[in-house]
Amino acid sequence: MQTLRLSNISTDIRRAASLLRAGEVVAIPTETVYGLAANALDEVAVAKIFAAKGRPADNPLIVHVLSPEDATPLIRPGVVDKLTALSAFIPGPLTVILPKDNKVPSIVSGGLDTIAIRIPAHSVARALLHETGIPLAAPSANRSGSPSPTCMRHVLDDMDGRIAAVLDGGECAVGVESTVLSLCGEVPELLRPGAVTLEQLREVLGEVHVAQAVLSPLREGQAVTSPGMKYKHYAPKTRVVLLRGGSEAFAAWCNTRDCMALCFAEDAQYLRVPCFCYGSSGDYDSQARLLFDGLRTLDESGFAPLIAAHAPDVIGVGLAVYNRLLRAAGFELVEL
Ligand code: AMP
Ligand code: MG
């Protein structure tokens, strides 16, 4: 299959919409990362997403809609109020898990009786939802297990020839996937940290639990609330080690090894190995935005067989960056 590059946003939204309506898969920009979109109500179209990504069938997809009103037919009657209560973050980089309506095909939810709903803020994603008039299932547009794509080039690196088209919306502003919050239990539970932070959610909702898998590996046989937690994730081909400590200690560790560094701006003066700087140590927004580009760029460079990643603090958006790096490193963490 030839993958169309759709770079003229003013005319190509309609082209992308007609491909989606015809049951094809199109990669689309969102404010978090690029998504691999298909009609969420068309099982055959959704199956193409799983095939293109090589995604395990029990890892459910996020369904994108324009408004809580458009989410209503997809969720159990009466639960839409839970969504509107989060209006401070909607539209935006927040995914909410709610009990699902039977009309949503079970392939979308990986066989669960819940559904992940997101209302994106990105103007291109919104224009496309408006033009298609259908809910769009869209996981991140990477091959399963790889770092998520934050620009069209990343999408093509993974998906060229596997999907009908990619719609170019430039670079993603956030850079890490949406915050995933389950509202199915008594207390809201954070399943995946993102740009809508735990601190922000607690301000609005009061108590919010953090799923154990956010910061630690699953124990053998442990039940998971979010199937995506089970898989190695966000990982380049090169081995990644995560290091926590000050700039000089980080550089000293790197300089005695055959490695490349994913580093903070403050580290660069001490480093004598190839590096990709993903922001200053306190700038979690920059770290989130550049994280996956950094992992992909270092991976492609092939300069060394190891990526040493300098870990951010686990506050604000830093928690999301730390969570992705932990998984990219297969939980290999060194305290300096
Ligand atoms: P992705 O779309 O690639 O960013 O991945 C979506 C994430 O949301 C994965 O970690 C899924 O496991 C999670 N997810 C999607 N639907 C559900 C659901 N119904 N319950 C729990 N987690 C979900
Ligand atoms: Mg993903």
Side-chain angles (χ1 to χ4, degrees):
M1 164 187 310
Q2 209 194 333
T3 301
L4 294 172
R5 278 85 165 145
L6 303 179
S7 291
N8 183 341
I9 291 302
S10 57
T11 54
D12 282 336
I13 297 241
R14 294 180 72 176
R15 249 174 120 187
S18 70
L19 285 167
L20 287 164
R21 275 195 303 263
E24 294 299 337
V25 172
V26 178
I28 64 165
T30 80
E31 67 272 33
T32 56
V33 300
Y34 275 71
L36 213 52
N39 180 354
L41 302 177
D42 176 346
E43 284 180 60
V44 177
V46 172
K48 292 181 188 172
I49 296 180
F50 283 89
K53 278 184 69 85
R55 186 172 174 108
D58 69 348
N59 193 1
L61 308 181
I62 294 172
V63 178
H64 295 68
V65 292
L66 271 176
S67 63
E69 196 184 11
D70 287 355
T72 307
L74 308 174
I75 58 184
R76 195 187 296 157
V79 297
V80 73
D81 291 352
K82 296 195 180 205
L83 207 49
T84 44
L86 289 163
S87 60
F89 312 113
I90 289 175
L94 175 68
T95 294
V96 181
I97 311 292
L98 292 165
K100 92 175 175 71
D101 186 89
N102 292 336
K103 82 166 72 61
V104 179
S106 83
I107 185 173
V108 172
S109 58
L112 300 173
D113 56 5
T114 54
I115 182 170
I117 299 281
R118 184 156 107 78
I119 298 174
H122 194 285
S123 60
V124 174
R126 292 190 69 78
L128 197 59
L129 283 164
H130 189 77
E131 184 73 27
T132 55
I134 47 182
L136 296 176
S140 52
N142 50 286
R143 294 294 291 271
S144 197
S146 299
S148 295
T150 56
C151 62
M152 179 160 96
R153 185 174 52 80
H154 294 167
V155 174
L156 289 169
D157 284 345
D158 280 21
M159 292 293 160
D160 200 9
R162 305 178 69 86
I163 56 174
V166 51
L167 188 55
D168 187 6
E171 284 173 21
C172 300
V174 174
V176 292
E177 308 82 351
S178 57
T179 303
V180 178
L181 180 75
S182 172
L183 296 181
C184 296
E186 243 166 68
V187 178
E189 186 179 28
L190 181 74
L191 302 183
R192 177 174 74 185
V196 172
T197 65
L198 178 61
E199 295 86 343
Q200 288 174 315
L201 290 169
R202 284 186 171 150
E203 258 175 47
V204 171
L205 297 169
E207 199 181 3
V208 177
H209 288 167
V210 178
Q212 183 247 321
V214 167
L215 287 176
S216 40
L218 287 170
R219 291 180 297 273
E220 185 94 13
Q222 187 185 350
V224 280
T225 31
S226 185
M229 293 170 177
K230 280 193 298 192
Y231 305 104
K232 182 162 171 153
H233 231 125
Y234 318 117
K237 293 178 203 80
T238 312
R239 181 177 147 223
V240 179
V241 175
L242 187 56
L243 296 113
R244 191 151 57 182
S247 274
E248 289 183 63
F250 174 74
W253 193 96
C254 295
N255 290 342
T256 54
R257 284 169 177 83
D258 184 15
C259 72
M260 317 177 263
L262 180 70
C263 69
F264 299 139
E266 296 89 327
D267 307 336
Q269 57 177 317
Y270 304 111
L271 281 168
R272 282 182 275 107
V273 296
C275 61
F276 184 104
C277 174
Y278 74 137
S280 64
S281 60
D283 188 349
Y284 309 122
D285 290 341
S286 166
Q287 292 161 26
R289 190 161 36 81
L290 298 177
L291 172 67
F292 291 132
D293 190 36
L295 290 175
R296 281 176 179 261
T297 302
L298 290 172
D299 205 19
E300 279 159 24
S301 78
F303 282 135
L306 176 67
I307 296 173
H310 203 168
D313 303 318
V314 291
I315 50 171
V317 182
L319 177 63
V321 176
Y322 186 83
N323 164 272
R324 304 312 190 271
L325 279 172
L326 257 183
R327 280 175 169 67
F331 292 92
E332 204 177 333
L333 173 68
V334 176
E335 299 283 357
L336 296 166

